[in-house]
């Protein structure tokens, strides 16, 4: 019988894991653990105590063995995205370099507002054995170490210096990860000695608890102000961001747009908020956007931004809009709702759109909607030609078109860094809501495969019959590919498209577009490479247990993709693409890039002048 004063003696590590295993969330009427398990690589900093605790909950909190700590973090991010931030995974790494390898993944999760719990080894609190293996010694502050580097890239940070602290720290960390406004990674530094220390914990601390994601109602006055602003609009536009999906507000967004006849454009994170065929979906906006979305953006007089942080790729570094356009932002985070003097509505997207709809009577003039739809028709025609194949070099767009044609509507598509995020954003036609994950908040090379593995783990929990498909360049593959092996080991099938253009081709393109000669990006342009050669990606992937094949053309890719769909294990398809020809050349907004103000190179000087010529359109913070 548990009484008010009943206690149980546990180590710090055991208490953390027992508490985690008893935290639940209600999703669609079903209770499940809010923590789906974890990714771990053991070392001396976490194996003896945290490892012992985890071994006892193999079923409740499955632990996936990682190959690289950074990729574990990427996988946790992919998992959280697939679950719309309603569930998360933890990552555990040893003290020193193991933990340091998670820094980039924490940055990705922070930028993308994704929950992730980092349980990382730390130096001994007693300092009796100092200096220990892998310890960074700070001569002036012995409390300052590698783990302090996480403070700028997490939303919650704590170092557990006494076993009783977890009674406060764990609920605070979870509250942060589940908060719509503050959502992001939480970090707990676990000194190696403290992990094994014991404490008499109140048993009721470990009682089952069911959590729910808070939906913040908007302020009535802010809704009234928003309705008044929208009522004046002659050329309104909605920018739909990733927050629409996290709020599960896609239905409300569509209904709001339909009722008031407002054209909708999507951010990179907001891809798949609306079906490609919806008449009010005018396309993706911004630097990697569409001519159609950017055409209406530069003419819109009132812009309703929903669930977006208005990143530079969305705003064209703030050149995509008319100088006199008014912004109205719905966002759960106050920080995002007020950007660039937006009229803020701080609140949940679903509740805010519903409240705004009830206050608003306006209907957009037919002429504006017709203009937007005509622009979308032109863009659709361009994309159809862009993804076609036949008498021109292989391209990213062609590969995207092949997969788009043959995949199932509920298959999940993943992309991250290099040229593929732009090509997927511009050319992919959404077949179902919430099926696209283009990680461009932190734009991390290596997320493509690792993030897809995490997404597939989550997908298998609800839609095991579907596939996770990831587009990966050769540069990203070489940076982080080991989770092909992880996916085979864990029997979490992925389809990996490796598109080989002989180096970092999209940065080579930027280099050339700014007047610079090709240097150190394509393998053939590296002066320290006497004789360039490519990697046999097929053999490499096969060595990690995947089924792999190389194709020569998009037509062959189509047949290989059918075989991949039929396969029951990870399937890698490799195709060479041209590094110079075949890029999507339409749809781009201006992007601010630092170019040399002084140079002896005429082409660089001319490119600088041409690049800077568009700065006159930039909104200066208003």
């Amino acid at each position: 019988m548990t009484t008010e004063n009943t206690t149980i003696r546990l180590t710090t590590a055991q208490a953390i894991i027992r508490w985690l295993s008893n935290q639940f969330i209600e999703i669609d009427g079903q209770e499940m653990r809010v923590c789906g398990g974890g990714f771990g690589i053991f070392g001396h900093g976490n194996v003896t105590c945290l490892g012992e605790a985890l071994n006892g909950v193999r079923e409740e909190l499955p632990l996936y063995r990682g190959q690289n700590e950074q990729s574990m973090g990427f996988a946790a991010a992919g998992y959280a995205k697939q679950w719309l931030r309603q569930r998360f995974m933890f990552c555990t790494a040893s003290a020193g370099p193991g933990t340091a390898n998670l820094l980039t993944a924490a940055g990705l999760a922070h930028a993308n507002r994704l929950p992730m719990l980092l349980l990382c080894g730390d130096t001994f609190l007693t300092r009796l054995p100092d200096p220990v293996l892998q310890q960074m010694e700070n001569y002036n502050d012995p409390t300052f170490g590698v783990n302090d580097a996480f403070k700028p890239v997490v939303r919650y940070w704590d170092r557990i210096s006494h076993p009783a602290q977890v009674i406060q720290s764990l609920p605070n960390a979870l509250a942060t990860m589940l908060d719509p406004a503050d959502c992001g990674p939480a970090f707990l530094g676990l000194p190696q000695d403290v992990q094994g220390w014991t404490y008499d914990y109140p048993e009721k601390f470990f009682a089952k608890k069911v959590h729910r994601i808070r939906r913040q109602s908007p302020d009535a006055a802010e809704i009234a102000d928003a309705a008044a602003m929208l009522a004046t609009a002659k050329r309104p536009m909605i920018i739909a961001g990733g927050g629409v999906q996290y709020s599960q507000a896609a239905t409300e967004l569509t209904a709001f747009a339909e009722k008031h006849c407002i054209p909708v454009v999507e951010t990179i994170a907001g891809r798949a908020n609306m079906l490609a065929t919806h008449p009010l979906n005018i396309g993706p906006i911004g630097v990697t956007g569409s001519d159609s979305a950017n055409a209406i953006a530069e003419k819109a007089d009132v812009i309703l931004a929903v669930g977006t942080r208005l990143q530079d790729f969305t705003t064209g570094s703030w050149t995509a809009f008319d100088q006199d356009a008014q912004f109205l932002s719905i966002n759960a985070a106050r920080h995002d709702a007020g950007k660039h003097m937006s009229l803020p509505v701080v609140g949940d997207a679903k509740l805010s759109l519903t409240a705004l709809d009830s206050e608003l009577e306006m209907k957009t003039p037919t002429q504006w909607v017709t203009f937007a739809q005509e622009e979308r028709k032109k863009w659709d025609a361009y994309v159809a030609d862009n993804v076609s194949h036949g008498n021109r070099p292989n391209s990213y767009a062609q590969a995207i078109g092949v997969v788009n044609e043959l995949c199932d509507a509920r298959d999940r598509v993943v992309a991250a860094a290099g040229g593929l995020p732009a090509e997927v954003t511009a050319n992919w036609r959404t077949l179902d809501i919430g099926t696209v994950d283009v990680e461009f908040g932190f734009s991390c090379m290596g997320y493509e495969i690792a993030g897809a593995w995490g997404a597939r783990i989550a997908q298998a929990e609800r839609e095991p019959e579907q596939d996770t498909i990831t587009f990966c360049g050769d540069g990203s593959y070489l940076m982080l590919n080991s989770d092909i092996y992880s996916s085979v080991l864990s029997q979490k099938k992925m389809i990996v498209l490796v598109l080989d253009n002989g180096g970092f081709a999209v940065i080579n393109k930027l280099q050339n577009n700014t007047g610079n000669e090709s240097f150190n990006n394509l393998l053939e342009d590296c002066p320290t490479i006497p004789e360039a050669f490519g990697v046999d990606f097929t053999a490499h992937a096969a060595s990690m247990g995947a089924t792999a094949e190389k194709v020569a053309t998009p037509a062959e890719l189509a047949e290989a993709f059918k075989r991949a769909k039929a396969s029951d294990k990870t399937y890698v398809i490799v195709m060479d693409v041209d590094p110079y020809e075949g890029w999507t050349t339409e749809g781009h907004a201006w992007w601010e890039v630092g170019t040399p103000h002084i140079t002896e190179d005429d082409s660089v000087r001319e490119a600088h002048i041409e690049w800077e010529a568009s700065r006159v359109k930039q909104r200066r913070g208003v």
Side-chain angles (χ1 to χ4, degrees):
M1 178 179 176
T2 300
T3 66
E4 190 72 22
N5 298 316
T6 302
T7 61
I8 180 172
R9 178 163 292 188
L10 298 169
T11 68
T12 304
Q14 290 164 357
I16 291 171
I17 300 309
R18 178 173 292 207
W19 185 86
L20 266 183
S21 66
N22 283 293
Q23 305 308 302
F24 289 75
I25 191 166
E26 184 181 302
I27 301 175
D28 299 330
Q30 181 183 356
E31 286 185 7
M32 57 190 74
R33 284 186 172 82
V34 66
C35 180
F39 299 97
I41 293 178
F42 287 138
H44 66 272
N46 62 347
V47 67
T48 55
C49 295
L50 197 64
E52 185 268 346
L54 285 167
N55 190 36
V57 291
R58 293 181 175 206
E59 298 298 322
E60 296 90 340
L61 298 176
L63 184 67
Y64 291 87
R65 180 192 179 279
Q67 320 302 326
N68 177 292
E69 290 88 357
Q70 180 173 302
S71 72
M72 292 191 326
F74 289 168
Y79 182 93
K81 274 193 179 186
Q82 177 77 5
W83 271 106
L84 298 176
R85 305 196 310 191
Q86 296 169 295
R87 302 182 74 204
F88 67 89
M89 298 282 267
F90 67 81
C91 296
T92 180
S94 186
T99 284
N101 280 346
L102 280 167
L103 269 167
T104 301
L108 180 147
H110 189 289
N112 286 282
R113 320 292 209 254
L114 295 172
M116 175 194 306
L117 179 61
L118 305 173
L119 301 174
C120 296
D122 209 331
T123 52
F124 289 89
L125 193 70
T126 64
R127 303 182 194 160
L128 292 176
D130 284 10
V132 300
L133 178 68
Q134 300 176 335
Q135 179 179 351
M136 291 292 171
E137 292 182 273
N138 189 302
Y139 304 151
N140 302 311
D141 182 356
T143 69
F144 191 61
V146 169
N147 288 359
D148 292 271
F150 282 86
K151 291 178 179 178
V153 292
V154 298
R155 294 283 191 170
Y156 182 86
W157 188 97
D158 197 5
R159 176 177 282 121
I160 305 303
S161 56
H162 187 281
Q165 278 181 236
V166 301
I167 297 174
Q168 303 292 334
S169 293
L170 287 171
N172 286 337
L174 183 56
T176 300
M177 290 187 286
L178 294 182
D179 187 273
D182 291 338
C183 185
F187 179 93
L188 295 182
L190 305 176
Q192 295 163 65
D193 46 2
V194 177
Q195 284 185 49
W197 291 356
T198 61
Y199 183 73
D200 292 330
Y201 292 94
E203 277 204 353
K204 64 180 181 180
F205 177 63
F206 304 105
K208 176 182 176 180
K209 183 171 182 179
V210 180
H211 300 266
R212 293 174 182 83
I213 304 293
R214 179 186 303 108
R215 287 193 180 276
Q216 180 176 338
S217 296
D219 180 79
E222 290 186 347
I223 289 293
D225 288 345
M229 177 184 285
L230 267 176
T232 68
K234 303 300 182 187
R235 300 178 303 280
M237 179 183 79
I238 298 172
I239 300 177
V244 172
Q245 293 182 33
Y246 294 139
S247 176
Q248 300 178 74
T251 299
E252 286 73 16
L253 171 77
T254 301
F256 183 89
E258 288 174 347
K259 179 178 175 181
H260 303 287
C261 292
I262 303 178
V264 178
V265 302
E266 294 178 326
T267 69
I268 297 173
R271 288 295 269 114
N273 277 326
M274 295 181 81
L275 299 183
T277 53
H278 195 285
L280 288 173
N281 183 350
I282 310 303
I285 188 174
V287 178
T288 59
S290 59
D291 284 340
S292 50
N294 290 332
I296 70 168
E298 67 180 9
K299 295 180 183 297
D301 58 355
V302 176
I303 298 161
L304 172 57
V306 185
T308 171
R309 61 197 185 99
L310 295 172
Q311 181 210 38
D312 65 341
F313 263 66
T314 297
T315 67
S317 299
W318 289 99
T319 63
F321 314 104
D322 185 85
Q323 293 281 350
D324 294 324
Q326 300 179 87
F327 271 81
L328 159 63
S329 291
I330 294 174
N331 207 293
R334 173 190 54 79
H335 174 79
D336 292 321
K339 284 178 177 172
H340 276 247
M341 294 184 70
S342 291
L343 182 68
V345 174
V346 180
D348 172 73
K350 182 191 285 279
L351 297 182
S352 298
L353 284 169
T354 301
L356 183 57
D357 182 55
S358 66
E359 290 281 325
L360 191 64
E361 298 298 332
M362 64 86 70
K363 212 171 185 73
T364 303
T366 303
Q367 184 179 4
W368 173 244
V369 179
T370 300
F371 168 73
Q373 292 173 337
E374 288 299 321
E375 291 297 313
R376 177 61 197 247
K377 288 178 183 177
K378 295 177 191 175
W379 179 252
D380 285 343
Y382 172 78
V383 170
D385 179 67
N386 200 36
V387 301
S388 66
H389 50 87
N391 298 320
R392 56 198 178 102
N394 294 347
S395 69
Y396 283 164
Q398 293 169 6
I400 291 164
V402 167
V403 174
N404 209 171
E405 183 70 25
L406 296 173
C407 73
D408 292 338
R410 289 299 306 165
D411 286 346
R412 187 165 185 82
V413 176
V414 178
L420 277 164
E423 297 295 318
V424 170
T425 299
N427 294 289
W428 186 264
R429 294 182 59 79
T430 298
L431 303 176
D432 207 344
I433 303 301
T435 53
V436 178
D437 173 10
V438 178
E439 192 291 293
F440 221 55
F442 212 49
S443 184
C444 276
M445 295 176 68
Y447 177 84
E448 296 90 339
I449 292 173
W453 179 44
R456 177 55 194 158
I457 292 171
Q459 184 188 50
E461 292 171 339
R462 288 198 291 184
E463 299 178 294
E465 70 284 358
Q466 303 303 146
D467 281 306
T468 295
I469 305 160
T470 184
F471 291 96
C472 184
D474 53 302
S476 283
Y477 183 100
L478 288 172
M479 184 168 285
L480 204 56
N481 55 62
S482 56
D483 285 320
I484 290 176
Y485 182 47
S486 301
S487 72
V488 177
L489 286 173
S490 59
Q491 297 183 359
K492 296 295 185 285
K493 174 202 170 184
M494 305 184 295
I495 299 176
V496 182
L497 281 296
V498 181
L499 303 175
D500 185 356
N501 54 25
F504 304 140
V506 74
I507 294 301
N508 180 72
K509 182 164 76 83
L510 176 62
Q511 196 171 46
N512 296 161
N513 288 348
T514 53
N516 290 281
E517 64 179 27
S518 296
F519 167 59
N520 206 53
N521 284 314
L522 298 179
L523 295 173
E524 62 185 20
D525 297 321
C526 293
T528 53
I529 299 176
E531 188 174 347
F533 65 94
V535 172
D536 187 342
F537 294 110
T538 307
H540 186 269
S543 74
M544 290 189 284
T547 301
E549 61 174 298
K550 186 169 185 176
V551 299
T553 66
E556 291 183 13
L557 172 61
E559 296 305 312
F561 186 76
K562 293 174 186 176
R563 290 188 286 273
K565 287 288 292 178
S567 175
D568 61 357
K569 73 172 182 177
T570 292
Y571 207 106
V572 177
I573 306 171
V574 182
M575 185 175 79
D576 292 340
V577 296
D578 194 280
Y580 302 103
E581 301 296 327
W583 296 104
T584 297
T585 56
E586 303 295 331
H588 306 315
W590 186 74
W591 185 37
E592 182 162 3
V593 177
T595 55
H597 287 230
I598 298 176
T599 177
E600 296 181 359
D601 190 315
D602 290 340
S603 62
V604 174
R605 183 184 305 107
E606 290 169 5
H608 168 72
I609 293 170
E610 182 181 355
W611 208 282
E612 287 295 308
S614 292
R615 188 179 294 280
V616 295
K617 298 189 296 183
Q618 191 172 44
R619 293 165 63 102
R620 301 184 181 182
V622 297

